[in-house]
Amino acid sequence: MASPPLAAAAAGSGVEASSGSEETGTVPPDRDLAALFEQAAERLPALLPTASKEQLLYLYARFKQMTEKRGKESKTAFGGPVVSSLYQEETIREEDKNIFDYCRENNIDYVTKAIQSKKVDVNAADEEGRALLHWACDRGHKELVTVLLQHAADVNSQDGEGQTALHYAAACEFLDIVELLLKSGANPTLRDQEGCLPEEVTDCKAITSALQQHTAGKT
């Protein structure tokens, strides 16, 4: 791509970076970037209908990186419905779908048959290292999570950024899935590449408590 989608979105929104405050004549670069990001994100819904799949994947990754960094500083969760909505807005032709598309749309029957027929490895990962279990947890598909675990999905598999299914379920605040993962052997002490535990990527007190109690029970 000639230019990153977020940069293009910011430019198309008519946003211009501040030239500086009246007092100092300068604005910290991080404030400029944060403002541009927020305004680009506001414009994003209007651009989704014309965005390609590659552009949506790029936006997903960039949004996730931005919100993860915030999560480390203030426990604002990454992932979750806001990120997932990028895919919900996309219409994919049936003949173009892959196993991850069927997982995201919670097509339990298709995913189950594909795994049982050995056409798909239950632990297969996408280009970002996300397994089917990561996606099912990200979308809150508890029944599908159960099916994947029954078919020997690696509950502690880490994606390209070191995040486990627990990170995804915790960040998206799906307490029932967090509890299911813990009962299935998920390790709450695994850190991602940013050094964050699953309990550190959520604002949900019930999830934090469940993860901490489980960890304490193992020591």
Side-chain angles (χ1 to χ4, degrees), residues 8-211:
S13 66
V15 177
E16 295 183 0
S18 172
S19 60
S21 67
E22 293 181 0
E23 294 181 1
T24 65
T26 60
V27 175
D30 58 339
R31 288 184 57 190
D32 280 344
L33 291 174
L36 285 172
F37 179 86
E38 293 295 344
Q39 295 183 50
E42 290 176 3
R43 179 173 169 74
L44 182 57
L47 303 177
L48 289 177
T50 59
S52 67
K53 184 174 182 179
E54 289 72 21
Q55 289 173 318
L56 291 172
L57 286 171
Y58 181 94
L59 287 166
Y60 182 95
R62 299 292 78 75
F63 192 97
K64 192 174 179 186
Q65 288 175 355
M66 181 70 171
T67 49
E68 277 182 32
K69 290 178 181 178
R70 289 180 179 175
K72 191 174 181 181
E73 295 174 357
S74 61
K75 288 195 176 181
T76 298
F78 63 90
V82 175
V83 175
S84 297
S85 68
L86 291 175
Y87 280 105
Q88 292 168 0
E89 293 288 343
E90 182 184 14
T91 300
I92 303 175
R93 295 184 305 173
E94 195 68 23
E95 59 268 31
D96 293 332
K97 290 181 180 179
N98 58 35
I99 191 63
F100 299 102
D101 296 316
Y102 288 108
C103 182
R104 285 190 285 266
E105 66 184 28
N106 200 27
N107 192 327
I108 297 175
D109 185 58
Y110 184 96
V111 174
T112 301
K113 289 180 179 178
I115 293 173
Q116 291 177 338
S117 66
K118 307 299 182 181
K119 292 181 179 179
V120 171
D121 180 351
V122 69
N123 290 310
D126 64 14
E127 62 277 3
E128 299 294 335
R130 295 177 294 249
L132 297 174
L133 187 61
H134 288 107
W135 277 112
C137 291
D138 176 77
R139 296 307 172 86
H141 300 328
K142 184 180 179 181
E143 186 177 351
L144 181 55
V145 170
T146 299
V147 169
L148 293 173
L149 291 172
Q150 290 174 343
H151 285 84
D154 182 357
V155 73
N156 290 312
S157 173
Q158 293 174 280
D159 68 11
E161 296 176 351
Q163 294 149 10
T164 65
L166 265 182
H167 282 89
Y168 281 74
C172 298
E173 300 188 355
F174 296 126
L175 176 60
D176 54 345
I177 294 181
V178 168
E179 293 174 337
L180 173 60
L181 292 172
L182 290 173
K183 291 178 181 178
S184 300
N187 183 354
T189 67
L190 292 178
R191 296 179 182 272
D192 63 18
Q193 291 184 355
E194 295 294 326
C196 292
L197 294 168
E199 69 186 60
E200 296 174 320
V201 299
T202 182
D203 285 324
C204 178
K205 294 182 179 179
I207 290 178
T208 299
S209 176
L211 291 168

